[in-house]
Amino acid sequence: MISRNKIKALIDLMDKEPELKPKLQATLARFIKEEPLQFKNVIEESFGADVPGYIRDIVLNIKREELLAHFKAYFEVKNPSLLKGFALIARFINPQLTQKAVLDQFELLHKSLSTYMDAGFDVFHKAEVMSQYFFINGGYRLESLSSGPKVVSLPDIISCGGASSFAMAALYCCCAECFDLKADMFDAGGKVMIRLRDKYSYEPVYVDIFAGGRFVGEDECSIYASARGFAWSGAFISPMSSKQVIKRFLANLIYVYSKSGDEAAVSILRKCFKFAA
C-alpha cells in the first residue's frame, strides 16, 4: 500500500523541481491507479479545488487509457453501432462522461426531433424535416477542426450547435436511423455526403451537409468529384462502414491534439487507431 506521505512527497518534488515532472509523471500515474482514494485525499488536503494542471492532465489520460479496452471491443464487433462509436469519441474528449450520459443527451435530441416527424412521412419528407430542424430552426453550423475537439464531441454539438462537417454528417445519419431510414455517409472525392433510403422509395435522397442539408442529385455529386480531379464512378457512393467513420474521427482527433501539442492524448489515440486496422 502506498502511503499518503509518499504521494505527497512526490507531488511536492514535482512542484519544487519542474524539470523532473516528465520523469516523475509515470510514477505519479502509477500511484493514482493503485491508490485512487489515497491520492484523492492528498490532493484535496494539499490543493482544495485549485488542482495543478499537470495533475489534472495525468488523471485525464489515465481515464483515456481505460477507454482503450472499449475501443478494442468496438472494432471487434462485425457491424457496430455508429451512435455508440460516436459516444466513445465524446468520452475520449471528456473522460468524465459516461456512455449513458452521452446516449441520454442524444435521446433528448431524438425526442425533440420526433415532435416534427410523422411515421407516415416518406424519405424525402423526413429528410426535409431533419434539414429544417438542424440548419434552420436549430441553427446548427459547420466549424473547422481548428476550433478544437468539441466540434466532434456529440454532447457539445447537441448543446452548442457547432460541428465539423464530418461530425454533422454522422449526427444526421444517427438521427435518420431513428426514423426508419437507411443512412450512409460516402466520400464524393473528398467531400462527405449522405444518402438516405427507405423501404418504399426507389430513388435515394442525397444530402449535402455543406449546403445546409440541401438535396442534391447523383449528377451533382459527380460534379463535386470532377472538380477535385476525380473521375466519377459508382465506387464513390460506396457507403462508409461505422468502423470507417469512427476511424476517421480518431484521425481527426490525432490532428487536433497534435496541433495543440498534447502528446499524451495523441499517443493513446494512435493505440485506438491501431484497433481499427
Side-chain angles (χ1 to χ4, degrees), residues 2 4-17 20-21 23-32 39 42 54:
I2 302 168
R4 294 158 65 98
N5 288 339
K6 195 169 183 179
I7 295 173
K8 193 172 189 314
L10 179 61
I11 293 173
D12 289 343
L13 181 60
M14 294 175 78
D15 283 336
K16 292 174 183 176
E17 305 288 344
L20 295 178
K21 280 183 183 179
K23 294 182 178 179
L24 298 177
Q25 282 186 354
T27 303
L28 183 58
R30 179 170 61 83
F31 285 2
I32 296 170
F39 174 78
V42 170
Y54 71 89

Side-chain angles (χ1 to χ4, degrees), residues 85-264:
F86 207 172
L88 263 181
I89 293 296
R91 291 178 64 199
F92 184 91
I93 295 167
N94 180 5
Q96 306 300 327
L97 291 170
T98 64
Q99 187 89 342
K100 183 178 183 303
V102 179
L103 296 180
D104 283 351
Q105 192 157 0
F106 176 81
E107 183 57 29
L108 290 176
L109 172 66
H110 171 220
K111 287 181 178 178
S112 176
L113 182 52
S114 295
T115 61
Y116 302 94
M117 197 76 75
D118 188 284
F121 288 168
D122 62 20
V123 61
F124 297 96
H125 199 167
K126 288 178 180 178
E128 186 176 39
V129 168
M130 285 193 292
S131 292
Q132 175 90 12
Y133 180 89
F134 285 119
F135 298 108
I136 298 178
N137 297 340
Y140 281 68
R141 62 199 179 278
L142 302 186
E143 295 188 4
S144 166
L145 283 171
S146 61
S147 301
K150 288 188 175 183
V151 297
V152 298
S153 170
L154 183 58
D156 290 302
I157 293 169
I158 293 172
S159 61
C160 301
S164 72
S165 56
F166 193 78
M168 189 66 237
L171 177 58
Y172 197 105
C173 287
C174 288
C175 288
E177 294 280 359
C178 294
F179 299 105
D180 298 322
L181 294 177
K182 172 60 178 171
D184 296 315
M185 294 168 62
F186 65 94
D187 194 329
K191 182 174 184 176
V192 174
M193 307 286 285
I194 297 170
R195 179 177 59 191
L196 301 175
R197 291 169 291 173
D198 64 14
K199 59 185 178 182
Y200 305 107
S201 305
Y202 176 75
E203 290 291 330
V205 173
Y206 294 97
V207 179
D208 185 353
I209 288 297
F210 288 87
R214 184 172 67 88
F215 296 174
V216 296
E218 190 173 327
D219 55 339
E220 288 186 70
C221 296
S222 172
I223 292 171
Y224 295 145
S226 298
R228 289 165 176 77
F230 296 97
W232 180 259
S233 73
F236 279 108
I237 55 176
S238 296
M240 299 174 69
S241 69
S242 54
K243 291 182 184 180
Q244 289 173 321
V245 172
I246 300 306
K247 184 178 181 180
R248 187 150 163 182
F249 269 125
L250 290 171
N252 287 343
L253 286 181
I254 288 172
Y255 166 80
V256 170
Y257 286 110
S258 293
K259 191 173 179 180
S260 67
D262 192 337
E263 295 179 5

